[in-house]
Amino acid sequence: MLCLNEIQKIDLRNWLKDQTNSTFTISGFASSDGSSKRNKELANTRIQATRQWLIANGIPEKNIKIKVVGINEIGEKGRRVELEAIPLSSQ
């Protein structure tokens, strides 16, 4: 699992300040371990934590989309959150 250190978080916050004309898709991935229901709950919890962090760091809520990815769609990579920034001008 990749965790950001404080310097990386500062760099990410600075980068986010330049992304005011972007939308963000947060994809939360489930795992094949345990029940499907529990894995979707965990994926949603990770998504919501990421969403709240983005909002707290200046990204408007209307610019954030979420997606829970099921076990059958992910292969073997397992539980994680991926963040994709898409400039509004390219949509």
Side-chain angles (χ1 to χ4, degrees), residues 51-89:
R51 180 181 161 276
Q52 290 302 321
W53 189 89
L54 288 171
I55 292 168
N57 284 280
I59 299 301
E61 188 172 355
K62 66 182 177 74
N63 290 14
I64 302 172
K65 299 175 184 177
I66 62 170
K67 177 181 174 184
V68 177
V69 181
I71 296 166
N72 294 334
E73 301 173 57
I74 64 168
E76 296 299 319
K77 290 185 180 178
R79 296 178 180 132
R80 65 188 184 284
V81 172
E82 292 181 357
L83 180 63
E84 179 181 15
I86 304 164
L88 290 173
S89 59

Side-chain angles (χ1 to χ4, degrees), residues 9-60:
K9 288 178 186 177
I10 291 168
D11 289 344
L12 182 55
R13 286 183 188 110
N14 289 335
W15 178 79
L16 285 172
K17 290 177 187 175
D18 295 331
Q19 303 305 312
T20 55
N21 290 322
S22 294
T23 60
F24 292 83
T25 300
I26 306 167
S27 299
F29 292 80
S31 170
S32 59
D33 296 334
S35 75
S36 177
K37 180 182 176 187
R38 178 67 179 138
N39 278 299
K40 286 183 180 181
E41 290 171 355
L42 290 169
N44 191 50
T45 298
R46 287 188 292 277
I47 288 169
Q48 294 305 323
T50 304
R51 180 181 161 276
Q52 290 302 321
W53 189 89
L54 288 171
I55 292 168
N57 284 280
I59 299 301

